[in-house]
Amino acid sequence: MGRFLKKSVLTSAIATGALVALAAPAAGASSQAGAKDFASQCAMCHAHTSGARSGIGPNLFGVVGRKAGSLAGYSYSPAMKSAGFDWDAQRLDHYLAKPQQVVHGNKMPFAGIGNAAERAEIIAYLSTLK
């Protein structure tokens, strides 16, 4: 029993650590590096300045805190329109990692960003766009 309990406590500690890491993916990330990452990964489809017209994808200015699928004037997929959540750092992290798993049926033709540090930098940058 002692061995099982130790393993169970260790598993719980690891899981808790993973949840804490997911809760604040942008903590300590550089928004300056994120601006460069955004330029190379996102800007070809997404505008990111106040009042700019959306491109292939919606304008991401003010996306942090915005309800998914709600930017006026952009034609979202039915899946994104009905997603029912606000974009926060954790949701953005998951979405940027695997867009189709977070909002199955969305129309963004992007496989995702596997590098967690790069996602955190992009989220840090997006958080500055207010």
Side-chain angles (χ1 to χ4, degrees):
M1 167 126 169
R3 188 176 198 175
F4 173 76
L5 182 58
K6 286 180 186 176
K7 187 174 183 179
S8 177
V9 169
L10 178 60
T11 302
S12 294
I14 290 169
T16 300
L19 288 175
V20 169
L22 287 175
S30 165
S31 63
Q32 289 177 338
K36 291 177 185 173
D37 295 333
F38 184 93
S40 68
Q41 298 267 359
C42 313
M44 67 183 68
C45 296
H46 294 279
H48 56 110
T49 57
S50 179
R53 287 179 50 153
S54 292
I56 294 169
N59 184 338
L60 296 181
F61 185 87
V63 70
V64 177
R66 184 166 70 206
K67 183 171 178 64
S70 69
L71 182 66
Y74 183 75
S75 178
Y76 289 97
S77 66
M80 190 60 77
K81 284 182 191 176
S82 65
F85 58 79
D86 292 343
W87 291 112
D88 61 16
Q90 182 178 0
R91 187 76 67 168
L92 283 165
D93 183 56
H94 291 293
Y95 186 77
L96 290 173
K98 297 186 185 236
Q100 288 298 324
Q101 284 185 4
V102 174
V103 181
H104 182 71
N106 81 75
K107 66 181 186 180
M108 186 165 84
F110 185 69
I113 300 169
N115 184 309
E118 191 172 332
R119 290 192 313 269
E121 290 168 351
I122 290 170
I123 295 164
Y125 173 67
L126 291 173
S127 296
T128 68
L129 304 178
K130 299 176 184 179

